[in-house]
């Protein structure tokens, strides 16, 4: 029985050693070969002194070394921290600082961009770079991946399934990303649940397009390994490339977020004859996009899903329900219970809006080093008769309603997060960069609906007193400090202070209403 996330690979190496485990990006590894790579990575980490539950950050694109490093950290008894390859050096440094990472695995090119930022990471001790040359770094031990894979030795630290396995960073309402602490049990239960309702088996070939730092992206690996399928890695540039690779690699399963599906729905999928299913999460798929995909892929099953990093996956809508309720996010996935509750913890009636609350084995262990926000989101369930100890559940902050058959419908988010291109973006994180430019006195970022990206970022700004705002210079500063999806798409200038709510804070809701009114009526 698999209890730790890396055991999916070793178990499959025992059962089907010659079956393909990894493909794509020049990689062709069987389960036995992948198990050997993971074991070598674990021994290399132990050789340089990694201790139980210490953090190993992985900042490289999808490639063989990334997979070996992530699961090798687990196999050593450490905790892996995948970092989105799109992040800027300052953002990477923040995650390294916050997680207290002891080891960073990256590429020589990425390290060159990071070098200055690493000076502010006091807990970092080792940097491992892909290839055969060890880097020379002040105050840090540099290692070559090839040498470490060859010479490492040691015995893994003992772990159990409730121990930390991963820290997944997602944007938070304070502006800084927050680390969601996931246990081995969380990851194993999630992979087995999803693989079960998708019907995955050894014949599947699952295309891994999404970033491995995204729980939905990482799950393409864990779901594949849980079922003995092959995960095909892809660092895509164009939507057409996905269709081409899906046909060439005989892909049977593909996961994406709504902005990507909107692009993919416009393409010819006739050559991808092996595609058995597609899945959507990270936001609602537009009805027109869903219909276009069903026409383009008439023999492909479509699974609509809802999830949050704090509980991985909560609901799915089975393909046979699409025609009946295309706007539903479905019902709870296997081995999870999803409730619609009022603020006092009592159950909502049929059709009554309430907060989506998730309980079960997929509920994360909280936010890393953040007891205040953990207490806000991870709260006790109403006590069941006879129960003495409280059970913690995830209170999602999302408002939903349930119909008479228990199918859920998403209504809205209660926080101020912006959902763009499949990413959750904190307004404050954008605003901090805007303020750092020195060009504004006040700034407020918010999401505006967009037919392709879900939302785009609108920035309201008040220029410095007595000065005109150079919008081009402001956007240049944003592009230098933020990934592309976090750069504002529109800048609205305000001649005076931005509106306040009764608490004295900038009234984002009012700004959003004013902007929506102007856009609707075409007011310049």
């Amino acid at each position: 029985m698999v209890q730790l996330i890396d055991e999916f690979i070793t178990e499959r190496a025992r059962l089907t050693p010659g079956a393909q485990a990894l493909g794509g990006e020049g990689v062709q590894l069987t389960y036995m070969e992948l198990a050997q790579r993971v074991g070598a990575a674990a021994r290399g980490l132990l050789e340089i002194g990694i201790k139980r539950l210490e953090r190993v950050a992985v900042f490289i694109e999808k490639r063989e070394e990334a997979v070996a490093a992530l699961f090798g950290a687990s196999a050593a008894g450490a905790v892996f921290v995948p970092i989105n390859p799109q992040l800027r050096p300052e953002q990477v440094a923040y995650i390294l600082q916050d997680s207290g990472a002891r080891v960073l695995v990256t590429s020589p090119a990425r390290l060159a961009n990071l070098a200055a930022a690493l000076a502010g990471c006091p807990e970092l001790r080792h940097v491992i770079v892909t290839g055969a040359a060890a880097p020379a770094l002040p105050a840090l031990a540099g290692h070559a991946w090839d040498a470490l894979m060859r010479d490492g030795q040691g015995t893994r630290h003992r772990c159990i399934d409730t121990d930390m396995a991963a820290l997944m960073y997602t944007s938070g309402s304070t502006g800084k990303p927050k680390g969601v602490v996931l246990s081995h049990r969380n990851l194993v239960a999630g992979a087995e649940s999803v693989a079960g309702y998708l019907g995955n088996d050894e014949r599947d070939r699952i295309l891994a397009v999404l970033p491995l730092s995204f729980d939905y992206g990482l799950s393409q690996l864990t779901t594949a390994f849980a079922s003995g399928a092959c995960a095909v890695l892809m660092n895509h540039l164009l939507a057409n490339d996905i269709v081409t690779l899906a046909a060439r690699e005989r892909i049977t399963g593909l996961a994406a977020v709504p902005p990507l599906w909107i692009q993919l729905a416009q393409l010819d999928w006739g050559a991808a004859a092996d595609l058995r299913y597609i899945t959507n999460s990270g936001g609602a798929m537009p009805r027109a996009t869903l219909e276009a995909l069903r026409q383009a892929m008439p023999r492909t099953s479509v699974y609509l899903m809802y999830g949050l990093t704090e509980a991985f996956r909560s609901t799915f809508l089975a393909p046979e329900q699409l025609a009946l309720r295309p706007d539903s996010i479905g019902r709870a996935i296997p081995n999870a219970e999803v409730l619609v509750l009022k603020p006092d913890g009592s159950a909502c009636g049929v059709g009554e809006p309430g907060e989506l609350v998730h309980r079960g084995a997929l509920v994360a262990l909280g936010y890393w080093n953040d007891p205040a926000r953990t207490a806000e989101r991870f709260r006790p369930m109403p006590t069941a008769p006879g129960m003495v100890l409280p059970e913690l559940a995830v209170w999602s902050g999302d408002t939903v309603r349930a119909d008479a058959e228990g199918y859920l419908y998403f209504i809205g988010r209660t926080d101020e997060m912006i959902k763009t291109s499949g990413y959750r973006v904190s307004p404050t994180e954008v605003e901090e960069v805007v303020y750092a430019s020195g060009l504004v006195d006040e700034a407020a970022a918010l999401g505006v609906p967009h037919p392709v990206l879900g939302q785009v970022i609108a920035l309201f700004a008040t220029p410095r007193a007595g000065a005109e705002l150079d919008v081009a210079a402001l956007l240049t500063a944003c592009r230098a400090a933020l990934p592309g999806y976090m750069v504002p798409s529109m800048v609205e200038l305000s001649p005076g202070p931005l509106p306040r709510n009764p608490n004295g804070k900038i009234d984002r809701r009012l700004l959003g209403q004013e902007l929506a009114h102007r856009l609707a009526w075409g007011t310049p």
Side-chain angles (χ1 to χ4, degrees), residues 21-99:
L22 276 186
E25 300 295 334
V27 179
Q28 298 289 329
L29 292 181
T30 66
Y31 270 98
M32 179 57 73
E33 290 168 337
L34 179 57
Q36 291 169 346
R37 302 290 201 284
V38 168
R43 292 189 297 273
L45 289 168
L46 291 164
E47 177 75 14
I48 63 176
I50 195 73
K51 294 182 172 57
R52 181 173 180 265
L53 302 182
E54 286 188 332
R55 276 71 63 203
V56 177
V58 180
F59 181 54
I60 45 179
E61 63 276 10
K62 289 190 287 292
R63 53 195 286 180
E64 173 188 326
E65 294 91 338
V67 178
L70 293 172
F71 289 86
S74 172
V79 176
F80 62 81
V81 186
I83 301 178
N84 192 327
Q86 292 192 51
L87 296 187
R88 300 292 189 255
E90 293 76 15
Q91 295 170 308
V92 176
Y94 171 78
I95 292 175
L96 294 174
Q97 295 164 9
D98 187 70
S99 67

Side-chain angles (χ1 to χ4, degrees), residues 248-522:
R248 185 173 72 238
E249 291 282 349
R250 308 184 318 281
I251 296 300
T252 63
L254 173 60
V257 292
L260 182 53
W261 280 129
I262 291 170
Q263 298 177 56
L264 294 176
Q266 302 171 27
L267 304 177
D268 181 3
W269 285 85
D274 296 290
L275 196 57
R276 182 173 66 82
Y277 70 85
I278 61 173
T279 69
N280 175 75
S281 190
M285 183 185 287
R287 180 80 66 88
T289 301
L290 175 60
E291 291 306 315
L293 287 169
R294 295 179 71 185
Q295 291 179 17
M297 311 170 182
R299 295 183 300 276
T300 301
S301 297
V302 181
Y303 289 82
L304 302 182
M305 306 188 297
Y306 163 92
L308 60 162
T309 307
E310 293 84 350
F312 173 60
R313 187 70 40 73
S314 294
T315 68
F316 81 102
L317 185 70
E320 61 270 18
Q321 293 292 327
L322 278 177
L324 297 174
R325 46 189 113 244
D327 298 323
S328 173
I329 60 174
R331 295 193 287 196
I333 69 171
N335 200 26
E337 184 176 12
V338 174
L339 306 151
V340 185
L341 301 182
K342 301 175 184 177
D344 63 3
S346 61
C348 293
V350 173
E352 182 181 5
E355 185 170 0
L356 185 149
V357 178
H358 178 127
R359 63 175 293 263
L362 279 73
V363 173
L365 303 183
Y367 297 126
W368 176 253
N369 200 30
D370 195 337
R373 283 195 288 184
T374 296
E376 292 174 1
R377 187 68 74 204
F378 297 84
R379 307 205 301 271
M381 289 288 297
T383 304
M387 291 290 290
V388 177
L389 296 176
E391 176 193 1
L392 291 182
V394 175
W395 296 67
S396 70
D398 291 342
T399 302
V400 300
R401 62 178 176 84
D403 65 18
E405 297 177 69
Y407 285 90
L408 298 171
Y409 297 82
F410 184 84
I411 296 175
R413 301 183 184 278
T414 56
D415 59 21
E416 297 172 340
M417 301 297 291
I418 301 167
K419 192 82 170 190
T420 180
S421 301
Y423 294 97
R424 283 165 58 87
V425 175
S426 163
T428 309
E429 192 169 9
V430 177
E431 291 158 10
E432 285 178 349
V433 171
V434 172
Y435 281 122
S437 72
L439 298 173
V440 305
D441 278 338
E442 288 187 346
L446 61 151
V448 177
H450 188 276
V452 174
L453 302 177
Q455 289 182 310
V456 293
I457 299 173
L459 179 71
F460 285 82
T462 299
R464 294 292 299 271
E468 291 186 1
L469 178 59
D470 186 340
V471 174
L474 179 60
L475 292 176
T476 297
C478 290
R479 293 189 188 99
L482 297 168
Y485 63 83
M486 293 179 68
V487 176
S489 296
M490 60 182 74
V491 177
E492 298 284 321
L493 302 182
S494 174
L498 298 179
R500 265 49 174 179
N501 65 20
N503 294 325
K505 298 180 180 180
I506 293 175
D507 194 334
R508 298 174 190 274
R509 184 184 297 272
L510 179 59
L511 288 173
Q513 291 172 346
E514 291 177 352
L515 181 58
H517 179 76
R518 291 206 302 274
L519 292 176
W521 288 96

Side-chain angles (χ1 to χ4, degrees), residues 1 93 157 161 293 347 361 497 509:
M1 180 177 67
H157 301 291
D161 69 347
L293 287 169
R509 184 184 297 272

